[in-house]
Amino acid sequence: MRLRHRDGQTVHLSYCTNVHPAEDFAGIVAQLDTYATRVRERLGADLLGLGLWLPAPVAAELADQGRLRRQLRAEVDARGLEVVTLNGFPYQAFHAPVVKQAVYHPDWTTPARLDYTLDLARILLDLMPDDASRGSISTLPFAWRGPWDPAQAGAAQRILERLSSGLARMAWETGRAVRVAFEPEPGCVVESTAQAVRHLADIDTDRIGVCLDLAHLACAWEEPAEAVGRLRAAGIPVVKVQVSAALEAADPVAAHDTLREYVEPRFLHQTRSTATASAQDPADPASAADDLDEALDRGLDGAWRVHYHVPLHAAPMPPLTSTVPVLKQALGELVGGPTALCDHLDVETYTWGVLPPARRPDGDAALADGIAAELAFARDTLVDLGLSETAGARS
């Protein structure tokens, strides 16, 4: 969907397809009918944005074959869909029975991560609608936090220079730009906006910036106004926003049994307590655990926020709540002012399939309904902030 900001910018709103487990080209096309077209129809929209996730083997195939890229663009166009952003964080096998820390490999010290990201950029240049001014790709914040030594930091810096050169070359060849957005995440080398400023101090800001995942921002106990102001002061662009909400427990002792229902084997659910907000190291063991079961077994003082993306429109199991208030504050800072600070907003709730059974959608149609409800929630929130729907956003 497209919305118009008061400054005249088009703001693209999409949903991220990493919620779907397709691992080959045929599966990617099939999910367009199984989910995306249904979501568009439920919203009554003429045009629906997708934050497409392409596993590395599919990306390599598409980057190598212009015919396949043109075919994918035709499949997208024929269904009233559009793609201006890709999720380049998971490399492949994102719906394996156990993912956990495997999602951070290969990291930004490796040529494999560079090759994958440049493949995605080549693909996106052919997928973007003709009137899109630029594309974006979100990616992991360098690596999992440890070990991370000067040698690895140097290797990553050299690879980022190659990334910038590759993106600049494509822009020169095509006349259109793709930017790569590093996404702070709990437990990683870059967990907070303060760490983003430190580690991205020497980037080419024409090609590289930050992806603010609003669930991650909440888990770091960051104040949205301070976080956005910090990035602006450092000159680091917010290239992309992932519109997401985390799980919150004001009283983890009282919510212990309910929190147990959210423990599951596939994804990491890094947990941070209120003490994180004042900690010099956001991953300090006194205020942090690398997974929810660890936090429950060990205990953390204060209220908790859990890296568990929960549906935006539906409250989690009580007495738990979500960080939707942080989401709304952050969107207010990013697009509620006189100038839009970001024009790519992607709803990213990839955890539908691992929610507690009572909250899990029963079948493809129910999942499409849930995604549509999230997008409607995000759209209405943006309209409340003063954005307006453009022609074709709704039939």
Side-chain angles (χ1 to χ4, degrees):
M1 290 184 286
R2 298 185 182 191
L3 297 101
R4 182 75 62 190
H5 192 271
R6 60 176 63 90
D7 67 1
Q9 284 192 70
T10 296
V11 174
H12 296 268
L13 176 64
S14 57
Y15 91 88
C16 185
T17 67
N18 65 355
V19 64
H20 309 313
E23 291 285 339
D24 57 23
F25 182 83
I28 298 295
V29 173
Q31 70 184 216
L32 303 180
D33 287 323
T34 304
Y35 304 106
T37 302
R38 286 176 171 175
V39 171
R40 182 180 60 75
E41 291 170 351
R42 281 155 175 73
L43 288 166
D46 294 332
L47 185 66
L48 176 70
L50 300 181
L52 205 60
W53 175 59
L54 300 171
V58 181
E61 183 181 23
L62 282 162
D64 187 55
Q65 298 185 39
R67 175 189 59 81
L68 273 184
R69 295 197 299 278
R70 290 189 293 273
Q71 180 182 342
L72 182 56
R73 170 68 183 272
E75 301 282 4
V76 166
D77 289 348
R79 292 165 174 81
L81 310 171
E82 71 171 7
V83 178
V84 300
T85 189
L86 300 178
N87 189 323
F89 196 130
Y91 189 77
Q92 61 183 5
F94 191 52
H95 289 267
V98 178
V99 178
K100 301 293 184 182
Q101 290 190 12
V103 76
Y104 307 109
H105 300 284
D107 62 33
W108 275 102
T109 66
T110 66
R113 176 60 64 172
L114 172 67
D115 293 343
Y116 172 49
T117 307
L118 290 176
D119 282 348
L120 292 178
R122 292 186 189 96
I123 296 162
L124 184 54
L125 286 166
D126 281 348
L127 291 185
M128 286 192 298
D130 295 340
D131 61 348
S133 59
R134 58 195 173 198
S136 63
I137 300 169
S138 49
T139 188
L140 74 157
F142 291 100
W144 186 250
R145 67 177 181 275
W148 188 256
D149 56 31
Q152 288 171 302
Q157 183 61 41
R158 290 189 292 274
I159 286 181
L160 259 61
E161 291 169 0
R162 293 169 59 190
L163 171 67
S164 178
S165 296
L167 295 172
R169 183 169 58 253
M170 290 184 207
W172 182 81
E173 291 171 349
T174 66
R176 300 216 287 175
V178 171
R179 297 186 295 174
V180 171
F182 285 75
E183 178 185 332
E185 175 165 317
C188 293
V189 171
V190 176
E191 175 160 338
S192 65
T193 55
Q195 290 174 326
V197 168
R198 185 161 69 249
H199 287 278
L200 296 174
D202 298 322
I203 59 169
D204 172 2
T205 54
D206 289 334
R207 315 292 171 199
I208 297 172
V210 162
C211 170
L212 276 186
D213 183 299
L214 302 185
H216 302 175
L217 186 78
C219 286
W221 293 89
E222 293 202 67
E223 291 294 331
E226 293 178 6
V228 173
R230 183 178 294 117
L231 293 172
R232 292 191 75 183
I236 297 175
V238 180
V239 168
K240 177 177 178 177
V241 173
Q242 285 178 336
V243 185
S244 57
L247 200 60
E248 182 164 349
D251 185 347
V253 175
H256 184 277
D257 291 346
T258 308
L259 284 165
R260 279 282 175 199
E261 296 194 46
Y262 285 86
V263 173
E264 56 85 21
R266 181 174 297 161
F267 301 119
L268 273 185
H269 298 296
Q270 304 94 311
T271 303
R272 300 291 184 263
S273 77
T274 44
T276 300
S278 58
Q280 288 188 333
D281 180 0
D284 187 309
S287 64
D290 285 339
D291 214 342
L292 178 56
D293 55 351
E294 177 192 339
L296 289 166
D297 291 342
R298 180 159 58 84
L300 304 172
D301 291 336
W304 293 4
R305 288 177 177 170
V306 183
H307 177 218
Y308 198 123
H309 290 207
V310 292
L312 305 184
H313 65 291
M317 297 169 63
L320 302 174
T321 57
S322 80
T323 60
V324 161
V326 177
L327 176 157
K328 290 184 174 181
Q329 292 169 24
L331 289 178
E333 295 295 327
L334 291 159
V335 297
T339 303
L341 304 182
C342 183
D343 56 354
H344 291 178
L345 310 181
D346 196 33
V347 173
E348 195 217 17
T349 305
Y350 58 85
T351 45
W352 283 96
V354 297
L355 288 170
R359 300 290 168 125
R360 202 174 296 169
D362 183 14
D364 296 338
L367 176 56
D369 287 344
I371 293 169
E374 284 199 293
L375 279 166
F377 178 93
R379 177 198 62 207
D380 294 346
T381 300
L382 294 169
V383 169
D384 288 343
L385 290 170
L387 281 74
S388 58
E389 294 184 74
T390 62
R394 221 189 271 196
S395 60

